[in-house]
Amino acid sequence: MAVLAMLVPTVVPGTATAQNQDDRLDEIEEEIDQAENQIGEIDAQVDISLEELDRILADLQDLQEELNARTAELQLAESELADRERVLVATTTELDQTAERLDATRTTLDTQQATYEARVRQSYITARPDQTLRVFSSSDVAQFTQASRYVEAIVERDRADFEQIDVLRRQIEADEAELERLRSQQASDRSAAESERNRVADLVAQQASLVAQVEARAADKQAVLSGLEADRDSAEALIANLQAESDQIEAELRAAAEAAAARAAAEAAAAAAQASSGSSGSSGSSSSPAPAVSGSGRFIYPVNGRISSNYGYRVHPISGARRLHAGMDIAAGTGTPIGAAGNGTVIYAGWRGGYGNCIMIDHGGGIVTLYAHQSSLATSVGQSVSTGQTIGYVGSTGYSTGPHLHWEVRVNGSPVDPRGYV
């Protein structure tokens, strides 16, 4: 909590300046609370972002492993496609050779068929029936034998030519069938290999796209974390600067309080000296300012309730930072009457930043009590109050997590443990 310095209201010199500094302390406290609250929110966001980043990185690892598997599968498919292409090259060579052979066979067939047809046609045109009859009617055996052999030779040659033509035709049919089979196999092999390769390539492309997307998400989350860390550093630097300013103001207020006490003591000494010189030899004792009380029994508890947080260092319930809790928190329901801890004069009654609705009572001797987070006030500045008198009601205004009374005891502006005064 911010350090608040309380001056005795009757001390006029420096009061305005002290009040301004006191107000600045409240502003600093509120700014520190806001900065610490921001740090708490940043830390919560960092935790969430780290969890999300862990999940993203785990997803990325799974996707990368799947991409590696798909890439290996693509390499296998491309290797198989290359094998198919090599087979296709051999098949194409065989196909070309078959086509060339088929063309040559067709040329030979056409030539032989044309020769055969020409010879048959010529034989039909030039042959005379009387010549054939003379062969069979010849009385010369030798001549008949020779003529018969001539006729047989012609018939045998014609038969051989016909058979050769038939063989060539069958070979052409076989070559045409083989050519069609090779062409079909070539098309089928190329289509199957290209289809498998394209299928795996599409899978690899899809997987690579997923990996790129998750990598982009991871990069965005890293950037968010970097930004949060920068914001946290800025908030911590702001708190350090504000705390330094608060310490400086507290020192100035403490010096002002000591100066005021010195002036009051000097005035009291002067008054005593004047009274002594004005009396004829009479002796008397003068009263001096009451010393600061540092023992038990000076005050009563302002409300009846459970002490939810004592004076001392603690983890702030909202920001999560470890800071000095400058007072005592007493849990009580909203609207519970708050009594003055002791006799005194109200020196502040109103809103004070993180304290919410607040009342401060001067009890003399540099001792001031503070009552924060009230739902409403029941007294005003300058009013004298007695021990137990209702000064306000419990609430949860200002920087508070629930209805309670935050009660402080300050000596010359510095907070002390209230338990030493009850």
Side-chain angles (χ1 to χ4, degrees):
M1 303 297 290
V3 178
L4 300 176
M6 305 301 139
L7 297 179
V8 179
T10 54
V11 180
V12 177
T15 300
T17 300
Q19 184 63 49
N20 291 338
Q21 289 175 320
D22 200 37
D23 291 341
R24 177 54 186 153
L25 282 175
D26 289 336
E27 294 174 1
I28 291 173
E29 172 63 22
E30 186 171 4
E31 291 173 5
I32 289 176
D33 284 340
Q34 292 174 353
E36 289 188 340
N37 191 34
Q38 181 183 8
I39 289 176
E41 293 175 353
I42 289 173
D43 287 341
Q45 293 176 19
V46 167
D47 291 339
I48 294 173
S49 296
L50 285 174
E51 291 177 359
E52 292 178 352
L53 181 59
D54 288 341
R55 288 194 296 270
I56 291 173
L57 293 177
D59 292 342
L60 180 60
Q61 182 177 358
D62 293 341
L63 289 171
Q64 188 63 54
E65 291 176 356
E66 189 172 350
L67 175 60
N68 294 338
R70 291 286 181 270
T71 302
E73 187 177 352
L74 176 61
Q75 292 174 349
L76 182 62
E78 289 178 340
S79 176
E80 183 177 352
L81 178 59
D83 292 340
R84 294 285 183 89
E85 290 291 349
R86 285 191 291 271
V87 172
L88 287 174
V89 170
T91 302
T92 301
T93 301
E94 184 179 356
L95 186 63
D96 294 340
Q97 294 172 351
T98 302
E100 291 175 359
R101 185 174 68 250
L102 180 59
D103 290 341
T105 303
R106 281 175 176 163
T107 300
T108 302
L109 174 62
D110 292 343
T111 300
Q112 290 187 6
Q113 189 168 358
T115 301
Y116 176 76
E117 289 175 352
R119 187 175 64 253
V120 170
R121 185 168 55 254
Q122 185 63 31
S123 298
Y124 176 77
I125 293 173
T126 59
R128 291 181 302 206
D130 57 337
Q131 291 178 345
T132 305
L133 291 174
R134 280 200 298 270
V135 171
F136 288 102
S137 64
S138 176
S139 58
D140 188 348
V141 175
Q143 186 180 3
F144 177 80
T145 302
Q146 184 179 2
S148 298
R149 287 176 179 174
Y150 174 75
V151 172
E152 289 177 355
I154 292 175
V155 172
E156 181 62 26
R157 187 182 64 181
D158 290 344
R159 185 182 64 79
D161 289 345
F162 182 80
E163 290 179 353
Q164 180 64 28
I165 290 173
D166 186 59
V167 169
L168 289 174
R169 285 175 176 170
R170 288 198 298 270
Q171 184 177 347
I172 288 174
E173 291 175 356
D175 287 345
E176 287 178 341
E178 178 65 11
L179 187 62
E180 182 62 27
R181 184 189 69 80
L182 290 173
R183 285 174 176 168
S184 177
Q185 179 180 347
Q186 185 183 46
S188 176
D189 288 347
R190 175 177 284 112
S191 177
E194 289 180 349
S195 177
E196 177 63 14
R197 190 266 178 197
N198 292 339
R199 182 188 71 83
V200 178
D202 288 343
L203 291 176
V204 170
Q206 294 173 11
Q207 199 67 23
S209 177
L210 289 176
V211 170
Q213 292 175 15
V214 176
E215 286 177 342
R217 287 174 54 202
D220 291 343
K221 193 58 65 177
Q222 290 283 12
V224 169
L225 285 171
S226 297
L228 290 172
E229 290 296 334
D231 291 344
R232 195 181 197 285
D233 292 341
S234 298
E236 289 179 344
L238 174 62
I239 290 174
N241 292 334
L242 291 171
Q243 191 60 54
E245 183 181 357
S246 176
D247 293 341
Q248 181 180 358
I249 292 175
E250 181 181 3
E252 293 173 359
L253 288 174
R254 186 178 294 108
E258 292 173 353
R263 285 195 299 271
E267 291 174 358
Q274 184 177 2
S276 176
S277 61
S279 62
S280 56
S282 62
S283 61
S285 61
S286 61
S287 61
S288 59
V293 176
S294 59
S296 62
R298 173 69 184 265
F299 297 131
I300 64 170
Y301 285 105
V303 294
N304 292 323
R306 177 180 59 84
I307 298 176
S308 57
S309 181
N310 277 306
Y311 172 92
Y313 281 90
R314 68 169 185 173
V315 176
H316 196 279
I318 295 179
S319 68
R322 187 174 183 273
R323 295 182 55 199
L324 174 65
H325 184 231
M328 172 187 294
D329 289 345
I330 305 175
T334 299
T336 301
I338 301 171
N343 298 332
T345 302
V346 177
I347 60 171
Y348 186 90
W351 186 271
R352 295 193 72 90
Y355 285 107
N357 289 325
C358 174
I359 287 177
M360 291 182 287
I361 301 175
D362 176 22
H363 301 280
I367 300 177
V368 173
T369 53
L370 179 148
Y371 312 78
H373 307 311
Q374 298 183 45
S375 59
S376 60
L377 308 178
T379 187
S380 57
V381 174
Q383 182 177 347
S384 296
V385 294
S386 58
T387 302
Q389 179 180 336
T390 298
I391 58 173
Y393 301 92
V394 171
S396 186
T397 57
Y399 202 60
S400 169
T401 58
H404 71 285
L405 171 66
H406 174 79
W407 180 46
E408 294 183 8
V409 177
R410 292 178 174 265
V411 178
N412 294 328
S414 298
V416 295
D417 190 346
R419 290 176 297 182
Y421 290 82
V422 291

